[in-house]
Amino acid sequence: MRSWWYADLTWPELRDAAASGTGVVLPIGSTEQHGPHLAVSCDVDLSSALAHAIAEENDLLVAPPITYGYRSRPLSGGGQTFPGTISVSARTLMAVVEDVLVELMRSGFKRLVLLNWHYENANFIYEAAVLARERSPHADGVRIMVVEAAFAGLSEHAMEVMFEGDFQGWDVEHAAILETSLMLHLCPEKVLFDRAVDDASARHPSYDLVPAPDDFIPASGVLWKATLATAEKGAVVWPEIVAGLAVSVAREL
Amino acid sequence: MRSWWYADLTWPELRDAAASGTGVVLPIGSTEQHGPHLAVSCDVDLSSALAHAIAEENDLLVAPPITYGYRSRPLSGGGQTFPGTISVSARTLMAVVEDVLVELMRSGFKRLVLLNWHYENANFIYEAAVLARERSPHADGVRIMVVEAAFAGLSEHAMEVMFEGDFQGWDVEHAAILETSLMLHLCPEKVLFDRAVDDASARHPSYDLVPAPDDFIPASGVLWKATLATAEKGAVVWPEIVAGLAVSVAREL
Amino acid sequence: MRSWWYADLTWPELRDAAASGTGVVLPIGSTEQHGPHLAVSCDVDLSSALAHAIAEENDLLVAPPITYGYRSRPLSGGGQTFPGTISVSARTLMAVVEDVLVELMRSGFKRLVLLNWHYENANFIYEAAVLARERSPHADGVRIMVVEAAFAGLSEHAMEVMFEGDFQGWDVEHAAILETSLMLHLCPEKVLFDRAVDDASARHPSYDLVPAPDDFIPASGVLWKATLATAEKGAVVWPEIVAGLAVSVAREL
Amino acid sequence: MRSWWYADLTWPELRDAAASGTGVVLPIGSTEQHGPHLAVSCDVDLSSALAHAIAEENDLLVAPPITYGYRSRPLSGGGQTFPGTISVSARTLMAVVEDVLVELMRSGFKRLVLLNWHYENANFIYEAAVLARERSPHADGVRIMVVEAAFAGLSEHAMEVMFEGDFQGWDVEHAAILETSLMLHLCPEKVLFDRAVDDASARHPSYDLVPAPDDFIPASGVLWKATLATAEKGAVVWPEIVAGLAVSVAREL
Amino acid sequence: MRSWWYADLTWPELRDAAASGTGVVLPIGSTEQHGPHLAVSCDVDLSSALAHAIAEENDLLVAPPITYGYRSRPLSGGGQTFPGTISVSARTLMAVVEDVLVELMRSGFKRLVLLNWHYENANFIYEAAVLARERSPHADGVRIMVVEAAFAGLSEHAMEVMFEGDFQGWDVEHAAILETSLMLHLCPEKVLFDRAVDDASARHPSYDLVPAPDDFIPASGVLWKATLATAEKGAVVWPEIVAGLAVSVAREL
Amino acid sequence: MRSWWYADLTWPELRDAAASGTGVVLPIGSTEQHGPHLAVSCDVDLSSALAHAIAEENDLLVAPPITYGYRSRPLSGGGQTFPGTISVSARTLMAVVEDVLVELMRSGFKRLVLLNWHYENANFIYEAAVLARERSPHADGVRIMVVEAAFAGLSEHAMEVMFEGDFQGWDVEHAAILETSLMLHLCPEKVLFDRAVDDASARHPSYDLVPAPDDFIPASGVLWKATLATAEKGAVVWPEIVAGLAVSVAREL
């Protein structure tokens, strides 16, 4: 393929790709606060980078990413009180993903991946996949892989390298060790590491409250210790995430 | 209160309850296959029983439950291929919960709990809570607690009693040890225990596929070893779940 | 059938029921003020009881009822100013009923009944039936019976027993003679008969007003003379309602 | 007023009308089969004529009518199998009426009437009125009168003249004695009376079926004896309908 | 055809028309301020008149027009600040037109024209046509012609007669020379020509602003020189518009 | 500003930007066939580049662009039959833009620009702006500029340079002289100029047809003579487009 970015190609190239069995991965992220040291694009940067990293091996074009995700929830993203975050409602997110899938099916693509890196998008993108298959007249033979948590299933080694025995759960890994390390590894120029802080909400229960009380939300927007991040950690873990996803895609599509 | 079931009361009683600061808990469940030994009402039976168990202590009326939940997903509920399961779309589930919350606020209730026992409803009911507060002219002073996984946070002891060291994850605890044990404890007459089986999907990845391949779905609809359930396990764990929730509600509302 | 309540059964039982031609009746009601003497569940209690009463004879399972109905209208239910009433919008009611019907068709049920006991749900549930058949890929051979007013067509004798020559119209029979008598007959423990009152709106025109003027709405929420109700009246009329419905279902499905 | 048809006026005239307290009546009808002798515009012709007849006396402008109504139901309109009928869905009808009401409130009109002549529109237009008031920032002081059945409440004399002692119910008065008589009185040139027939469905139960069986639907689309209509009957009844409505509007708005 | 107005016909006549290949044109307009001299019905008067003018030649019935159009935009209609204008939202307009098209297809009509005379409806009615064809099970062989600007393509001669060398663009031809001239020609009794004014917005950029600044909106609602209109101009241009459309329809349908 | 791309910034930077009066421009484009020589990203490349070009001068951050636009129409984009094009429905496009605007207002931004480069998005994005202002509780003092056609208003000189006296209309300037020249000027590496062709639909009427006939659609997807494009033409015209927009923004916001 001349480029694995869908956006770079012309329609005859896309027509030929579909005809030859190439698939499409749609990166899904957010435009969401990620503390004082990471850009609001962090989630979509990571899902896009991950999509591109597997593109050639899995014969998948990377569609223009979904940059606006579902509302930030306080306990996994700091919530909707931070300026700068731009979220969409559940209905809107589902509508966009559904429409894009329907169009990809119309174009003849059969191997489709929704690749999400924003916890709050879970379930909504699954619903979009279900609705798209129901609606499309071109759904025969189409398989949609829905990856809601791309980092699930890291090896014990990777977990140890990344968290050094003090893993606090994926929900607080927002703008914290994992994401900061990956960004330091992938595009250090987008990280203002000198502004990174260690922070946490005063409490972090297993339920949610609407509206969220102040003590659910760390002032910085960092949900755990961002200063523990290093490019080296990212360099160890990223290839494992990429390889894990590539194997999964190869198995399923 | 003459009864803690909202449905049993008259409007003057409900008016007085709202005026005196009583809250409302809305049990949310599903009508979903739960193997050959549990009724399709299992989820809503459990969320309703749990709601009622905390009602007096937390001064909460139990609203008529949401009996139809979001689509069953193969890896946590067996999926939509089983006859008997009655699910609703994401938009429908959100609309119902939003409308009910708006009406409770109109009636003057300020302390509201969404108490869910069906993994697939997560995020959708949170969105409903957000939308209801945005829309209601009576939202001032209202706090909505969103309990998406009521059993999160069991003690090590309870986990050991229930799973005997072989816990496989909450997602496969569908129609399996926990739910069967609780039903044996709470209403054994609804359990056809002689039909209980041990089953599992051939594989259980961290992503989903639409449509789901056959090897994601155990033929029985049981996602793990239902035969390991006992009423005694239920009798140990249930009070802990109830107490945990009651403490949380008392803290927040 | 081991139970005629759909909720009590397991999926293999429901699969077999559908395969053998058993149908499903969906009781539809409301959570609506019914005066100081009847529970807000009155409508759904009656539609559920009626559904169960015909279940065996008509080979119909009773699905989990729709407990939240369309907005209470002042002239037939007292309206939306009473605390305690929980109604849903037209769009929401239609969405729920449509989704449930689509799922019942997917499960293989062909004989379906929408059994309503809440005047305000009329037309909305008919629309849901139309939409469900349009949308379902399993609609062939399905027939949906839409019973919007289950008590229509009482004999002269029953009318005379119930109303003693002073019938004021079905619209004001809200929390009044008929409903109170039926509840006294069916579950007297849910009736606070000593709180029953005779009431009426100051006027009751053939049109409606939004917002409703105060003189459309009796303060008690009772639209006519509840004290005239007796269990004996209920005992005469209920079997006739049941039998009439059973005959109709047998004729049509 | 230069004209009582809203459509005939210029915006300064409408501005002044609103400022001076003039109200607006919105005729609502259908485009629906009315047998071989009446035009499909019958319902909207009647609601428009009725609106115009009370306009001056009640100081109400007649807005451009809603010509497309909710789906024809077999037992009250013959149903959706007739070519020529153009109906809209419930959601669409509600959306149009809601939007029109919101705009009338924005323009400053406070006295609003929804004047319906198509049984199947009932409830939907009420919901539209509720939604419009909730949504409009100009709802203060607005009163919306919802007339779902304009002919309700005829005198015994009028009933006797019209039906000669053989009244079969308003639902079968579709394209039958009342509507044909009124059209003969109001615009005889739109009646092909020589094509009028007497017809009826083979049966006419109190419930509905989806899809409707053939014996619910008379082949002609006439639900009762159209040949019994006369212009004279119309001449007696029409003034009574007009006067009754005028009195009601005067009382309420 | 006994009448070319769809509304005048009976269902057997419409059935026969569809069977014989007659098509349907749906006039679409607005209820929108058109200055102090033209009625708010101007747009729908013109689209209806145009539809009727081609009806016989093109064998097209004229369906009841869409009288409520999309929101008036300041730079092409004066905007939504004028009292008297009644607009609907985009979703509502699309829903109505979609439903009407679906019903026309159900009735068997294959040759369909959306004939618009209100600039702001563009794109929305195209979407409705796309959605209707996707949804209808009777779309085979149907062709929908979407005429968004009926006056496009006037001859140089007509342009010269109408604008005398000073054409300012179609967007400001709102309540100005063209529309006033056509109304003077077609129904002079609806024109209050003595109130006609020459007006213009203080500026008229190629972009829009929400909310619109005052200097986008001429106080009169007339966007250009209405006093230059004459019945004679209308008499020259109207036949050319009619003939142009008739030729186009004949070519396409 | 450290970067004028919104996505590059952290939430404290965005908070400060909003507080200091910086605005936001949202580029809107499409993922649409642009012939055999231009990438499907052409529209969004151009709207993004244009947004960035004015960002500093107008103190506007460039939000993550809307990459999926409304359906391609045959006469202005070749239509929806080309593989590779990914469009969304009208409802989806409006929902996304509305939600993004509401969030920008919540974040405190007051100066907002919708900058479109895809003809088919017109009207839909205007509606989104209206809906967003109606819905947002933070709309006071917000002004939204809606630029539907960024290239409107080129000087005669620029038009002459670009089209050499043979301008065929903006609608056919799809993948043709203007867009190809601009892309050659801005990012020649994305242009496969050796594949550029001259093409045109066999006919190009002023109305549309659904479905589109083949002779509305040039086989290449190029609507006019792409080979006439040069980087030099782009170099002349681009600065004029940028300057024109910058002046307009400075005037309005």
Side-chain angles (χ1 to χ4, degrees):
Chain A
M1 204 67 60
R2 191 166 60 84
S3 163
W4 291 98
W5 298 110
Y6 189 107
D8 285 350
L9 301 179
T10 64
W11 76 264
E13 293 169 311
L14 292 164
R15 174 198 57 196
D16 295 346
S20 72
T22 297
V24 177
V25 51
L26 178 69
I28 308 178
S30 69
T31 297
E32 187 192 24
Q33 77 81 16
H34 274 73
H37 65 298
L38 293 176
V40 290
S41 62
C42 179
D43 284 350
V44 76
D45 289 344
L46 289 171
S47 60
S48 296
L50 183 52
H52 200 256
I54 64 162
E56 181 156 12
E57 177 171 345
N58 291 114
D59 193 20
L60 294 172
L61 293 168
V62 183
I66 302 295
T67 52
Y68 298 111
Y70 178 65
R71 302 176 207 272
S72 180
R73 292 182 58 167
L75 297 170
S76 52
Q80 288 288 132
T81 54
F82 288 89
T85 295
I86 307 176
S87 305
V88 295
S89 72
R91 285 181 182 80
T92 299
L93 177 62
M94 295 190 297
V96 178
V97 176
E98 177 188 334
D99 276 10
V100 171
L101 288 171
V102 167
E103 281 285 85
L104 290 171
M105 292 188 238
R106 180 187 60 74
S107 288
F109 294 103
K110 302 288 187 193
R111 301 164 55 244
L112 303 175
V113 183
L114 299 182
L115 181 55
N116 178 53
W117 194 293
H118 175 58
Y119 174 83
E120 288 89 339
N121 291 334
N123 277 5
F124 302 119
I125 61 173
Y126 178 81
E127 172 75 344
V130 172
L131 294 172
R133 279 195 86 258
E134 278 183 11
R135 185 178 124 208
S136 173
H138 305 285
D140 276 356
V142 169
R143 192 173 255 196
I144 307 172
M145 189 171 169
V146 183
V147 184
E148 288 170 305
F151 40 76
L154 283 182
S155 70
E156 275 185 46
H157 172 66
M159 293 294 282
E160 179 57 33
V161 167
M162 183 58 71
F163 300 111
E164 303 174 75
D166 188 27
F167 177 58
Q168 299 285 321
W170 289 120
D171 43 357
V172 296
E173 272 303 316
H174 176 86
I177 310 174
L178 177 73
E179 292 185 335
T180 308
S181 295
L182 295 179
M183 290 303 287
L184 283 170
H185 169 59
L186 293 168
C187 42
E189 72 283 3
K190 288 195 75 168
V191 184
L192 306 178
F193 196 64
D194 56 324
R195 302 187 192 173
V197 298
D198 295 347
D199 206 346
S201 58
R203 57 204 187 90
H204 198 87
S206 61
Y207 48 80
D208 222 319
L209 284 169
V210 179
D214 288 346
D215 60 1
F216 276 26
I217 304 171
S220 68
V222 173
L223 300 202
W224 190 237
K225 301 181 183 177
T227 68
L228 300 184
T230 67
E232 292 69 30
K233 290 181 175 182
V236 169
V237 167
W238 182 248
E240 194 176 306
I241 293 175
V242 171
L245 180 63
V247 167
S248 297
V249 171
R251 185 189 305 121
E252 304 298 351
L253 299 187
Chain B
M1 206 64 63
R2 191 166 59 82
S3 163
W4 291 99
W5 299 109
Y6 190 107
D8 285 349
L9 301 178
T10 64
W11 77 263
E13 293 168 312
L14 292 164
R15 173 197 59 196
D16 295 347
S20 71
T22 297
V24 177
V25 51
L26 177 67
I28 308 178
S30 70
T31 297
E32 187 192 22
Q33 77 81 14
H34 273 73
H37 65 298
L38 293 176
V40 291
S41 62
C42 179
D43 284 351
V44 78
D45 290 342
L46 290 171
S47 61
S48 296
L50 183 52
H52 200 256
I54 64 163
E56 182 155 13
E57 177 170 347
N58 291 114
D59 192 21
L60 293 173
L61 294 167
V62 184
I66 303 295
T67 52
Y68 298 111
Y70 178 65
R71 303 176 207 272
S72 181
R73 291 182 58 167
L75 297 170
S76 52
Q80 288 289 132
T81 54
F82 288 89
T85 296
I86 307 177
S87 305
V88 296
S89 72
R91 284 179 182 81
T92 299
L93 177 63
M94 296 189 297
V96 177
V97 177
E98 177 188 335
D99 276 10
V100 171
L101 288 171
V102 166
E103 282 285 83
L104 291 170
M105 291 188 239
R106 180 186 61 73
S107 288
F109 295 103
K110 300 289 187 192
R111 302 164 56 244
L112 303 175
V113 183
L114 299 181
L115 181 55
N116 179 52
W117 195 294
H118 175 58
Y119 175 81
E120 287 89 338
N121 290 335
N123 277 5
F124 301 120
I125 61 173
Y126 178 82
E127 172 74 347
V130 172
L131 294 172
R133 278 194 87 260
E134 279 183 11
R135 186 178 124 208
S136 173
H138 306 285
D140 276 358
V142 170
R143 192 172 258 194
I144 307 171
M145 189 171 169
V146 183
V147 184
E148 288 169 305
F151 41 75
L154 283 182
S155 71
E156 275 185 47
H157 171 66
M159 292 294 282
E160 179 57 34
V161 167
M162 183 59 71
F163 300 112
E164 302 173 74
D166 188 28
F167 178 57
Q168 299 284 319
W170 290 120
D171 42 357
V172 296
E173 272 303 317
H174 177 87
I177 309 174
L178 177 73
E179 293 184 335
T180 307
S181 296
L182 295 179
M183 291 302 287
L184 283 170
H185 169 60
L186 293 168
C187 41
E189 72 283 3
K190 288 194 75 169
V191 184
L192 306 177
F193 195 65
D194 56 323
R195 302 187 193 173
V197 297
D198 295 348
D199 206 346
S201 58
R203 58 205 188 88
H204 198 87
S206 60
Y207 47 81
D208 222 319
L209 284 169
V210 179
D214 288 346
D215 60 1
F216 276 27
I217 304 170
S220 68
V222 173
L223 301 202
W224 190 236
K225 300 181 184 178
T227 69
L228 299 184
T230 66
E232 292 69 29
K233 291 181 176 184
V236 169
V237 167
W238 182 249
E240 195 176 307
I241 293 175
V242 171
L245 181 62
V247 168
S248 296
V249 171
R251 186 188 306 121
E252 305 298 352
L253 297 187
Chain C
M1 203 67 60
R2 192 166 59 83
S3 164
W4 291 99
W5 298 110
Y6 189 107
D8 286 349
L9 300 179
T10 64
W11 77 263
E13 293 169 310
L14 292 164
R15 173 199 57 196
D16 295 347
S20 71
T22 298
V24 178
V25 51
L26 178 68
I28 307 178
S30 69
T31 297
E32 186 191 24
Q33 78 82 14
H34 274 74
H37 65 299
L38 292 177
V40 290
S41 61
C42 179
D43 284 351
V44 77
D45 289 344
L46 290 172
S47 60
S48 296
L50 183 52
H52 200 257
I54 63 163
E56 182 155 10
E57 176 171 347
N58 291 114
D59 193 20
L60 293 174
L61 293 168
V62 183
I66 302 296
T67 53
Y68 298 112
Y70 178 65
R71 305 176 206 271
S72 180
R73 291 181 60 166
L75 297 170
S76 52
Q80 288 289 132
T81 54
F82 288 88
T85 295
I86 307 177
S87 305
V88 295
S89 72
R91 285 180 182 80
T92 299
L93 177 62
M94 296 189 297
V96 178
V97 177
E98 177 189 335
D99 277 9
V100 170
L101 288 172
V102 166
E103 282 285 84
L104 290 171
M105 292 188 237
R106 181 188 59 73
S107 288
F109 295 103
K110 301 288 187 193
R111 301 165 57 245
L112 302 174
V113 182
L114 300 181
L115 180 55
N116 179 54
W117 194 293
H118 176 58
Y119 174 82
E120 288 90 338
N121 290 334
N123 276 4
F124 302 120
I125 60 174
Y126 178 81
E127 172 75 345
V130 172
L131 294 172
R133 279 194 86 258
E134 279 183 11
R135 186 178 125 208
S136 172
H138 305 285
D140 276 356
V142 170
R143 192 173 257 194
I144 307 172
M145 190 171 168
V146 183
V147 184
E148 289 170 304
F151 41 76
L154 282 181
S155 70
E156 275 184 47
H157 171 67
M159 293 295 282
E160 179 57 32
V161 168
M162 183 59 70
F163 300 111
E164 303 174 75
D166 188 27
F167 177 57
Q168 299 285 319
W170 290 120
D171 43 357
V172 295
E173 271 303 316
H174 176 86
I177 310 174
L178 177 74
E179 293 185 335
T180 307
S181 295
L182 295 179
M183 290 302 287
L184 283 170
H185 169 60
L186 293 169
C187 41
E189 72 283 2
K190 289 194 75 169
V191 184
L192 306 177
F193 195 65
D194 57 324
R195 302 187 193 173
V197 298
D198 294 348
D199 206 346
S201 57
R203 56 205 187 91
H204 197 86
S206 61
Y207 48 82
D208 222 320
L209 283 170
V210 180
D214 289 346
D215 60 1
F216 276 26
I217 305 171
S220 67
V222 173
L223 301 202
W224 189 236
K225 301 181 182 177
T227 68
L228 300 184
T230 66
E232 292 68 31
K233 290 181 175 182
V236 169
V237 168
W238 182 248
E240 194 175 308
I241 294 175
V242 171
L245 181 63
V247 167
S248 296
V249 171
R251 185 188 306 121
E252 305 297 351
L253 298 187
Chain D
M1 204 65 61
R2 193 166 57 85
S3 163
W4 291 100
W5 299 109
Y6 189 106
D8 285 349
L9 300 179
T10 65
W11 78 263
E13 292 168 311
L14 292 164
R15 175 197 58 198
D16 296 347
S20 71
T22 297
V24 177
V25 51
L26 178 67
I28 308 178
S30 69
T31 297
E32 186 192 23
Q33 77 82 15
H34 274 73
H37 64 299
L38 293 176
V40 290
S41 62
C42 178
D43 284 350
V44 77
D45 288 344
L46 290 171
S47 60
S48 296
L50 183 53
H52 200 256
I54 65 162
E56 182 155 10
E57 177 171 348
N58 292 114
D59 193 19
L60 293 173
L61 293 167
V62 184
I66 304 295
T67 52
Y68 298 112
Y70 178 65
R71 303 176 207 272
S72 180
R73 291 182 59 168
L75 297 170
S76 53
Q80 288 288 133
T81 53
F82 288 89
T85 295
I86 307 177
S87 305
V88 295
S89 72
R91 286 180 181 80
T92 299
L93 178 62
M94 296 189 298
V96 177
V97 176
E98 177 189 335
D99 276 9
V100 170
L101 288 171
V102 167
E103 282 285 83
L104 290 171
M105 292 188 238
R106 180 187 61 73
S107 287
F109 294 103
K110 302 288 187 193
R111 301 165 56 244
L112 303 175
V113 182
L114 300 181
L115 181 55
N116 179 53
W117 194 293
H118 175 58
Y119 175 82
E120 289 89 338
N121 291 334
N123 277 4
F124 302 119
I125 61 173
Y126 178 81
E127 172 74 346
V130 172
L131 294 172
R133 278 194 86 259
E134 280 184 11
R135 185 178 125 208
S136 172
H138 306 285
D140 276 357
V142 169
R143 192 172 258 194
I144 307 171
M145 190 172 169
V146 183
V147 184
E148 289 170 303
F151 41 75
L154 283 182
S155 70
E156 275 185 47
H157 172 67
M159 292 296 281
E160 179 57 32
V161 166
M162 183 59 70
F163 301 112
E164 301 173 76
D166 188 27
F167 178 56
Q168 299 285 320
W170 290 120
D171 42 356
V172 297
E173 271 304 316
H174 176 86
I177 310 174
L178 178 73
E179 294 184 334
T180 307
S181 295
L182 295 178
M183 291 302 287
L184 283 169
H185 170 60
L186 294 167
C187 42
E189 71 283 4
K190 288 195 75 169
V191 185
L192 306 177
F193 195 64
D194 55 324
R195 301 187 194 173
V197 298
D198 295 347
D199 206 346
S201 57
R203 56 206 188 90
H204 198 85
S206 61
Y207 48 81
D208 222 320
L209 284 170
V210 180
D214 288 346
D215 59 1
F216 276 27
I217 304 170
S220 68
V222 173
L223 301 203
W224 189 236
K225 300 181 183 177
T227 66
L228 300 184
T230 66
E232 292 68 31
K233 291 180 175 183
V236 169
V237 168
W238 181 249
E240 194 176 308
I241 294 176
V242 172
L245 180 63
V247 167
S248 297
V249 171
R251 184 189 305 122
E252 306 297 352
L253 298 187
Chain E
M1 204 67 61
R2 191 166 59 85
S3 164
W4 291 100
W5 298 109
Y6 188 107
D8 285 350
L9 300 180
T10 64
W11 77 263
E13 292 168 312
L14 292 164
R15 174 198 58 195
D16 295 347
S20 71
T22 297
V24 177
V25 51
L26 178 68
I28 308 178
S30 69
T31 297
E32 187 191 24
Q33 77 82 15
H34 273 73
H37 65 298
L38 292 177
V40 290
S41 62
C42 179
D43 284 350
V44 76
D45 288 344
L46 289 171
S47 59
S48 296
L50 182 52
H52 200 256
I54 64 163
E56 181 156 11
E57 175 171 349
N58 291 113
D59 193 20
L60 293 173
L61 293 168
V62 183
I66 303 294
T67 52
Y68 298 111
Y70 178 65
R71 304 175 206 272
S72 180
R73 292 182 59 167
L75 298 169
S76 53
Q80 288 288 133
T81 55
F82 288 89
T85 296
I86 306 177
S87 305
V88 295
S89 72
R91 285 179 182 81
T92 298
L93 177 62
M94 295 190 297
V96 177
V97 177
E98 177 189 333
D99 277 9
V100 170
L101 289 171
V102 167
E103 283 283 84
L104 291 171
M105 291 188 239
R106 179 186 61 72
S107 288
F109 295 103
K110 302 287 187 194
R111 301 165 55 243
L112 303 174
V113 182
L114 299 180
L115 180 55
N116 179 53
W117 194 294
H118 176 58
Y119 174 82
E120 289 89 338
N121 291 334
N123 276 4
F124 302 120
I125 60 172
Y126 178 82
E127 173 74 346
V130 172
L131 293 172
R133 278 195 85 258
E134 279 183 12
R135 187 178 124 207
S136 172
H138 305 286
D140 276 357
V142 169
R143 192 172 257 195
I144 307 171
M145 190 171 169
V146 183
V147 184
E148 289 170 304
F151 41 75
L154 283 182
S155 70
E156 275 184 48
H157 172 67
M159 292 295 281
E160 180 56 32
V161 168
M162 183 59 70
F163 301 111
E164 302 174 75
D166 188 27
F167 178 57
Q168 298 284 320
W170 290 119
D171 43 356
V172 296
E173 271 303 318
H174 176 87
I177 311 173
L178 178 72
E179 293 185 333
T180 307
S181 295
L182 295 179
M183 290 302 287
L184 283 169
H185 169 60
L186 294 167
C187 41
E189 72 282 4
K190 289 194 74 169
V191 184
L192 306 176
F193 196 64
D194 56 324
R195 302 186 192 174
V197 298
D198 295 347
D199 206 345
S201 58
R203 56 205 188 90
H204 198 86
S206 61
Y207 48 81
D208 222 319
L209 284 169
V210 180
D214 288 346
D215 59 1
F216 276 27
I217 304 171
S220 67
V222 173
L223 300 203
W224 190 237
K225 301 181 183 177
T227 68
L228 300 184
T230 66
E232 292 68 31
K233 290 181 175 184
V236 168
V237 167
W238 182 249
E240 193 175 309
I241 293 176
V242 172
L245 180 63
V247 167
S248 297
V249 172
R251 185 189 305 121
E252 305 298 351
L253 298 187
Chain F
M1 204 66 62
R2 193 166 59 83
S3 164
W4 290 99
W5 299 109
Y6 190 107
D8 285 350
L9 300 178
T10 65
W11 77 263
E13 292 169 310
L14 292 164
R15 174 198 58 196
D16 295 348
S20 72
T22 297
V24 177
V25 51
L26 177 68
I28 307 177
S30 70
T31 297
E32 186 192 24
Q33 77 82 14
H34 274 74
H37 65 297
L38 292 177
V40 290
S41 62
C42 179
D43 283 350
V44 77
D45 289 344
L46 290 171
S47 60
S48 296
L50 183 53
H52 200 256
I54 65 163
E56 183 156 12
E57 177 170 347
N58 292 113
D59 193 20
L60 293 173
L61 293 168
V62 183
I66 303 295
T67 52
Y68 298 111
Y70 177 65
R71 302 175 208 273
S72 180
R73 290 181 59 166
L75 297 169
S76 53
Q80 287 288 133
T81 54
F82 288 89
T85 295
I86 307 177
S87 305
V88 295
S89 72
R91 285 180 182 80
T92 299
L93 177 62
M94 295 189 297
V96 177
V97 176
E98 177 188 334
D99 277 9
V100 170
L101 288 171
V102 166
E103 282 285 83
L104 290 171
M105 291 188 239
R106 180 188 59 74
S107 287
F109 295 102
K110 302 287 188 194
R111 300 164 56 244
L112 303 175
V113 183
L114 299 181
L115 181 55
N116 179 53
W117 195 293
H118 175 59
Y119 175 82
E120 288 90 339
N121 291 333
N123 277 5
F124 302 119
I125 62 174
Y126 178 82
E127 172 75 345
V130 172
L131 294 172
R133 279 194 87 259
E134 278 183 11
R135 184 177 126 209
S136 173
H138 306 284
D140 275 356
V142 170
R143 192 173 258 194
I144 307 171
M145 189 172 168
V146 183
V147 185
E148 289 170 304
F151 40 76
L154 283 182
S155 70
E156 275 185 47
H157 171 67
M159 292 295 282
E160 179 58 32
V161 167
M162 183 59 71
F163 300 111
E164 303 173 75
D166 187 28
F167 177 57
Q168 299 285 320
W170 289 119
D171 44 356
V172 297
E173 271 303 316
H174 177 87
I177 309 174
L178 177 75
E179 293 185 334
T180 306
S181 295
L182 294 179
M183 290 303 287
L184 283 170
H185 169 59
L186 293 168
C187 42
E189 71 282 4
K190 288 194 74 168
V191 184
L192 306 178
F193 194 66
D194 55 324
R195 302 188 193 172
V197 297
D198 295 348
D199 206 346
S201 58
R203 57 205 187 90
H204 198 85
S206 61
Y207 48 81
D208 222 320
L209 284 169
V210 179
D214 288 346
D215 60 2
F216 276 27
I217 305 170
S220 68
V222 173
L223 301 202
W224 189 237
K225 301 180 183 178
T227 68
L228 300 184
T230 67
E232 292 69 30
K233 290 181 174 183
V236 170
V237 167
W238 182 249
E240 194 175 307
I241 293 175
V242 171
L245 180 63
V247 167
S248 297
V249 171
R251 185 189 304 122
E252 304 298 352
L253 298 187

